[in-house]
Amino acid sequence: MSTLLSLSIATIAGVLLARLFKPLNLPSVTAYLIAGVLVGPFFLGKAGVDGLGFVSMEYIENLSLFSDVALGFIAFSIGNEFKLESLKKIGKQAVVIGIAQAAVTTAIVDAVLIFLATKGMLTIAQAIVLGAIATATAPAATLMVVRQFKAKGETVDLLLPIVALDDAVGLVVFSVSFGIAKAISSGFFDINAIIVEPLAEIVFSLSMGAVLGYFLAQGETEVFSKKEKSNKLVLLVCFVLLAVGLSKSILRYSDIDVSFSSLLVCMMMGCIYCNLDKHCDSLMADAEEWQTGLMALFFVISGAELDLNVLNNKIFVELGIIYIVSRCIGKYLGAYISARATHVSPLVSKYLGITLFPQAGVALGMCVTARTLGAEGEMISNIILFAILIYELFGPMLTKIALTKTGDISTETLNSNKKDRDVLMERFLSFFEQ
């Protein structure tokens, strides 16, 4: 019961903050994250009262199921953006930009951190792993900003496929880099861990997603009629839960362990489903309505997970700032250069990289693996935790600003928020006049 009380208090606080932030044209993501921090173990939870807040980090870890399910629905929604008709127009651009920006980011972060490693601030192994983690972006924050401000246009059309592709590229880069870092630390080179297992994870994840997407589309079209929207929606929810559940399994063959990426499984399932079911758009519109609450819950938990202890260590803060700056430079330059090379308009090329700054869930997953390096892994994890704290609070705002500059967020949406701000100001002044 205390868990549900804490979740409800945190989410209500997030809704209220989101309402306060709306006239300022700030993303709701930021409000939910701040609400999570406030009810987390470093503020309200510090009182130690079960049900009033999240009393410890272990308490929050028990809520991982909510986060996994939310990420599954987010990935499924992004997969729905991969319609063949749109891919024919932007497919080549999205693939080139997605791979290029990840490669440039890794190269720049690696170069900067390896230089610092020669100065004794960290090890070569840590520098290589951090460079790989830098590829990851936060699809959840990006999608929520797009939905909140009803963003549409060339930037969004490119952004969502790039974010999806970024996760696949990031998995390969991280697995290879982590294998090399592990070999440096232990002196043992494992070809399976560096090449075979990461490639198998991508292939098996995409295959599982394709099979599930096919059966979902068949179930929607063959079993239910067009009017049975409620039953179709239930089936869709069940398949996303099934995909997330199956993604937790591990296949073992000889000396090879093949795991699955729930993000890739759900993205591919959404991609196959949207291309096989002609009536998926109306169903996805209905699904978006109730997914908003699930996403709010996800960001509240994400905010509570932010470990503020990293702010107490000077070296983590210093390296975190260097990591943030070098990663942002890599994302921006990689996206800009590749976008111009593929003939994307100058305006979109200028701001596309900024929308790739947010980082969260995928990077945290990589941190879990990095911790197996022992003390070196703990340092990597703390640097990334500090970076995520900054990215989560400011990344969504930067994404919103970039999409506004490119015209993907309409002036009508912004003006409606300004009207809300004027109404709130009038109420505030009338309160004191009384």
Side-chain angles (χ1 to χ4, degrees):
M1 185 179 73
S2 60
T3 300
L4 293 177
L5 284 173
S6 298
L7 283 174
S8 61
I9 290 172
T11 309
I12 290 171
V15 171
L16 293 175
L17 280 176
R19 183 65 186 86
L20 290 174
F21 283 10
K22 185 180 178 183
L24 302 175
N25 279 324
L26 294 176
S28 297
V29 176
T30 306
Y32 293 126
L33 288 168
I34 292 175
V37 171
L38 293 177
V39 298
F42 298 97
F43 287 94
L44 195 58
K46 208 168 186 178
V49 180
D50 281 343
L52 187 61
F54 302 115
V55 297
S56 67
M57 297 304 288
E58 291 75 17
Y59 190 94
I60 301 168
E61 288 174 3
N62 294 329
L63 302 173
S64 60
L65 177 63
F66 290 98
S67 298
D68 291 340
V69 171
L71 277 174
F73 280 102
I74 290 165
F76 182 82
S77 297
I78 291 177
N80 271 264
E81 301 298 324
F82 284 86
K83 292 185 175 66
L84 288 177
E85 54 194 41
S86 60
L87 286 178
K88 289 178 182 178
K89 299 177 183 177
I90 62 167
K92 181 181 177 181
Q93 292 174 325
V95 170
V96 172
I97 296 170
I99 295 175
Q101 57 84 24
V104 172
T105 301
T106 298
I108 289 178
V109 175
D110 273 348
V112 171
L113 295 183
I114 288 174
F115 172 76
L116 294 179
T118 62
K119 303 297 182 182
M121 294 184 68
L122 71 169
T123 67
I124 297 292
Q126 289 171 328
I128 292 173
V129 174
L130 285 167
I133 295 176
T135 60
T137 53
T142 301
L143 184 62
M144 194 162 185
V145 171
V146 169
R147 286 183 176 177
Q148 178 188 349
F149 293 99
K150 300 179 178 62
K152 292 181 181 179
E154 185 182 355
T155 312
V156 172
D157 290 341
L158 273 173
L159 175 60
L160 296 180
I162 289 171
V163 168
L165 181 63
D166 187 74
D167 290 324
V169 176
L171 282 173
V172 174
V173 174
F174 175 76
S175 298
V176 173
S177 298
F178 180 73
I180 295 172
K182 202 170 183 179
I184 293 172
S185 299
S186 65
F188 176 71
F189 185 83
D190 187 354
I191 189 69
N192 287 336
I194 295 176
I195 298 176
V196 178
E197 290 179 0
L199 291 177
E201 179 177 350
I202 293 175
V203 172
F204 277 77
S205 296
L206 295 178
S207 299
M208 179 190 288
V211 171
L212 291 174
Y214 172 79
F215 282 110
L216 172 59
Q218 291 300 308
E220 297 276 351
T221 55
E222 301 296 334
V223 179
F224 301 113
S225 66
K226 296 179 182 179
K227 296 180 180 179
E228 295 182 276
K229 271 193 175 183
S230 58
N231 287 329
K232 285 187 173 185
L233 191 57
V234 170
L235 186 64
L236 186 152
V237 171
C238 289
F239 264 78
V240 173
L241 295 177
L242 178 63
V244 173
L246 290 175
S247 299
K248 298 296 181 182
S249 57
I250 297 177
L251 298 179
R252 289 184 173 86
Y253 178 76
S254 186
D255 296 331
I256 301 173
D257 290 337
V258 180
S259 56
F260 295 89
S261 166
S262 60
L263 284 176
L264 290 183
V265 172
C266 292
M267 282 179 186
M268 177 55 77
M269 183 172 70
C271 173
I272 298 299
Y273 166 67
C274 75
N275 282 288
L276 293 181
D277 190 340
K278 298 178 180 179
H279 307 288
C280 69
D281 289 339
S282 61
L283 193 65
M284 288 304 299
D286 293 337
E288 281 185 19
E289 295 296 326
W290 62 266
Q291 279 182 33
T292 303
L294 186 62
M295 291 176 72
L297 196 62
F298 168 76
F299 284 109
V300 166
I301 295 173
S302 297
E305 285 178 325
L306 296 176
D307 191 345
L308 302 187
N309 281 326
V310 295
L311 298 175
N312 298 326
N313 194 310
K314 183 180 178 181
I315 188 64
F316 294 156
V317 174
E318 289 177 350
L319 288 174
I321 291 173
I322 293 170
Y323 168 84
I324 290 169
V325 173
S326 58
R327 178 180 177 272
C328 288
I329 292 172
K331 287 288 181 183
Y332 184 84
L333 288 179
Y336 178 81
I337 294 170
S338 56
R340 295 300 297 133
T342 53
H343 310 293
V344 175
S345 67
L347 184 63
V348 173
S349 299
K350 182 179 179 181
Y351 291 102
L352 181 62
I354 296 174
T355 64
L356 299 173
F357 287 174
Q359 186 177 48
V362 179
L364 285 174
M366 293 176 176
C367 282
V368 173
T369 303
R371 287 194 189 109
T372 60
L373 290 174
E376 287 184 324
E378 286 298 324
M379 185 173 180
I380 292 170
S381 179
N382 286 321
I383 292 170
I384 295 301
L385 284 173
F386 171 78
I388 286 174
L389 175 65
I390 304 302
Y391 279 129
E392 285 288 78
L393 293 177
F394 297 100
M397 287 187 277
L398 291 173
T399 299
K400 175 255 171 182
I401 291 171
L403 292 177
T404 301
K405 293 289 186 180
T406 60
D408 288 56
I409 295 178
S410 66
T411 54
E412 288 79 5
T413 302
L414 298 177
N415 289 334
S416 66
N417 288 349
K418 288 179 181 179
K419 290 178 181 178
D420 289 339
R421 181 177 62 194
D422 295 338
V423 171
L424 285 177
M425 183 59 70
E426 289 176 4
R427 291 177 181 175
F428 179 77
L429 293 174
S430 62
F431 174 80
F432 287 97
E433 288 174 359
Q434 293 175 2

